[in-house]
């Protein structure tokens, strides 16, 4: 098995990375940062997001495992003290592969377009001014948005920024994207739906900034890019998915309960 470890860089995560390499070598696993079969993330959800973005060109063949070194990580199945157990299971067991949907965003500019994949969400915000943009669903005008921003989240990202905005928590087996508003202006002149909407896989949403030169922040998970030449953004559920290697069951609703309600 070829593997790579991405860690958060703090003392505990670094120590665990060292331990992982020792145990992995004893089992005959080979470190390979260029072409791994499995990516081990040691740290928090932010570490797994980084690992995803570093290896999202290999999604067709790579799987991910998360080890958390802080409080419960939403994407991490294993705790620091369980590392030996994890490596033993990796050596002896066939994992269950669980695939979660991703949001794809194509940003169209006058001289070309860029494509981004989000594991949690894509966020669009105005920089230095209110975001004014029309939202189209399946090529029909849905609403004119004025406010701080728009968050388009994946099902697994529905428990992140989306949840803070009052969006629904969506099970990752439902291939969908969810559009939530950040502080929309609603009065007699401006009107948005106000609640988040969930689109199925075969639908698409276009966000068209009213002013062509508006300075915008495009935030893909933790990565922020500023642009002032965006003509439109198309958001869809991607054909690609992230694949997690599960060496023991950790159902989504248990994850939600343990993260937000009570630990078992
Ligand atoms: P960060 O370290 O500030 O992480 C924010 C928190 O979000 C952490 O507690 C993390 O564990 C949690 N988190 C991340 N993904 C999650 C998920 N899928 N479900 C439940 N909780 C999750 O920032 P970061 O590490 O750079 O992470 C970026 C993420 O932060 C973004 O993808 C976004 O979802 C989130 N965020 C949230 C808010 C908010 O809730 N108001 C605002 C901005 C960004």
């Amino acid at each position: 098995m070829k593997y790579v470890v991405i860690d958060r860089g703090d003392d505990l995560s670094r120590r665990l990375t060292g331990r992982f390499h020792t145990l992995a070598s004893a089992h005959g696993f080979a470190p390979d940062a260029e072409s791994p079969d499995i990516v081990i993330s040691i740290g928090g959800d932010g570490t797994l997001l980084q690992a995803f973005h570093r290896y999202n060109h290999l999604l067709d063949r790579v799987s991910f495992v998360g080890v958390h070194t802080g409080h419960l990580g939403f994407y991490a199945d294993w705790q620091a003290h369980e590392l030996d157990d994890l490596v033993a299971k990796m050596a002896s067991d066939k994992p269950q592969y669980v695939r979660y949907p991703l949001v794809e965003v194509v940003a169209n500019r006058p001289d070309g377009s860029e494509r981004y994949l989000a594991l949690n969400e894509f966020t669009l915000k105005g920089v230095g001014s209110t975001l004014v943009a029309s939202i189209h669903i399946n090529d029909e005008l849905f609403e004119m948005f004025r406010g701080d921003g728009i968050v388009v989240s994946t099902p697994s990202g529905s428990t992140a920024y989306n949840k803070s905005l009052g969006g629904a928590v969506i099970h990752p087996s439902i291939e969908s994207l969810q559009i939530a508003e950040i502080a929309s202006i609603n009065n007699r002149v401006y009107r948005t739906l106000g609640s988040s909407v969930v689109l199925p896989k075969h639908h698409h949403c276009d966000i068209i900034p009213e002013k062509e030169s508006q300075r915008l922040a495009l935030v893909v998970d933790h990565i922020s890019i500023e642009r002032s030449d965006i003509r439109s953004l198309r958001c869809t559920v991607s054909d690609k998915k992230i694949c997690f290697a599960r060496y023991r069951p950790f159902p989504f609703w248990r994850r939600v309960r343990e993260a937000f309600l009570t630990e078992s």
Side-chain angles (χ1 to χ4, degrees), residues 3-18:
Y3 74 93
V4 65
V5 182
I6 306 291
D7 71 47
R8 181 164 47 194
D10 59 296
D11 285 350
L12 175 58
S13 302
R14 284 220 172 125
R15 255 188 291 123
L16 288 177
T17 299

Side-chain angles (χ1 to χ4, degrees), residues 38 63-65 77 93-99 243-251:
I38 193 157
S63 58
F64 292 80
V65 172
D77 297 1
D93 295 3
K94 243 190 137 19
Q96 186 200 355
Y97 291 108
V98 178
R99 292 179 170 81
C243 176
F244 291 98
R246 294 255 189 274
Y247 288 92
R248 64 180 179 195
F250 195 171

